[in-house]
Amino acid sequence: MASHFEQLEQSMDQTPSFDGQVAQLIHLANDNGMTVSFMDIGATWLSCTLPVKGESREILLRSPNMAEHIKQSAYFGSIVGRFANRIALGRFEIEGKQYQVGVNNGENSLHGGIDGFDKRRWAVAEHSANHVVFRLHSADGDQGYPGNLDVSVTYTLTDENALVIGYQASTDKTCPVNLTNHAYFNLAGEGSGAKSLDHQLQLNAEGYLPTDSGLIPSGEIKAVQGTSFDFTQPKNIGSEFLTEPDQKTAGGYDHAFVFEPQVTDGQTVAAILRSPQQDVTMKVKTTKPAVQFYSGNFLAETPGLSKTYELYDGLALETQFFPDGPNKPDWGVNRGVLTPGGSYQHQTVYQFEC
Ligand code: BGC
């Protein structure tokens, strides 16, 4: 029988990707038997298997093959950019100049626009037994964004069962930059049938960003206290699901939660996710100011590895700057706007206990 890595290669290699060529896959394994796999298309985190109770458990959702991967709009495991999440009407102003970027989500721009970084072939710049570095150049004017932007994403697998994602970017013109990884987790197992709603979540976030029906933040940072958005103590995601207008507008949880500044040192645990059976725990540490907690509200009818996914079959915890930040001058450094010579160096860690 083909090994897990062979199966992955076969599924992604049988059909050419967006650029007519087949994907290149990279696999890493640690001493405990945890594995992670990536492909150069979208610098995508394709697979993550954990040793749980003597078995290997796949905890990421993905497409069954490349033919489906290039059709889906779930952004399974990809690096999204230049700007993760939405920019209202795809418009923003920088240094007095108006820009229009691709509109691909109703009237708004989502995850970098029509030809986002998830659809690009990234260069494999470095590769060792425990890390891989992907690089991408995005030319001035790409998708309407200003500035030549150079981006690198480093994935490192540690023997502490952590996947460390390092993000670096530099630009020669001021431009919005907000890079994240769009993995969907199901800690009970990709094909387990467990729902995002059955997981337990804790977020070190005292505020969240309410949105309009197009999922553009209103600009208000609302206190979570006393609302269904309060995850400051561990809570089952389903326990207050769709109980309030701000959730109903978004079809569930699909909001930026604002971390307390003291937890964004990259060392402190900012979020904890537990599997329904409590046999797997994922801890998230980050230097980014927020996380988009998305409960999988648009997953229905997306072809997946073990089946066609249904609503809430997985959830994403996308560390990021504030959605629509370029249009919200009051948000300061949380807007996700990079200047020439400015530093974009971020790190997010997903650490697993099983
Ligand atoms: C967004 C969702 C969107 C999903 C897939 C998430 O980051 O917040 O609204 O449906 O990505 O595109």
Side-chain angles (χ1 to χ4, degrees), residues 60 77 173 279:
L60 292 190
K173 282 186 191 160
D279 53 2

Side-chain angles (χ1 to χ4, degrees), residues 73-75 80 84-86 105 110-111 180 182 184 215 250 253-255 292-294 297-299 316 318 320 323:
S73 55
Y75 295 82
V80 294
N85 211 281
R86 293 174 178 80
N105 187 252
L110 176 67
H111 297 328
T180 194
H182 207 309
Y184 288 78
L215 300 185
Y253 294 108
D254 191 355
H255 299 81
Q292 186 81 9
F293 162 39
Y294 167 52
N297 317 327
F298 299 108
L299 268 178
E318 306 150 63
Q320 59 178 19

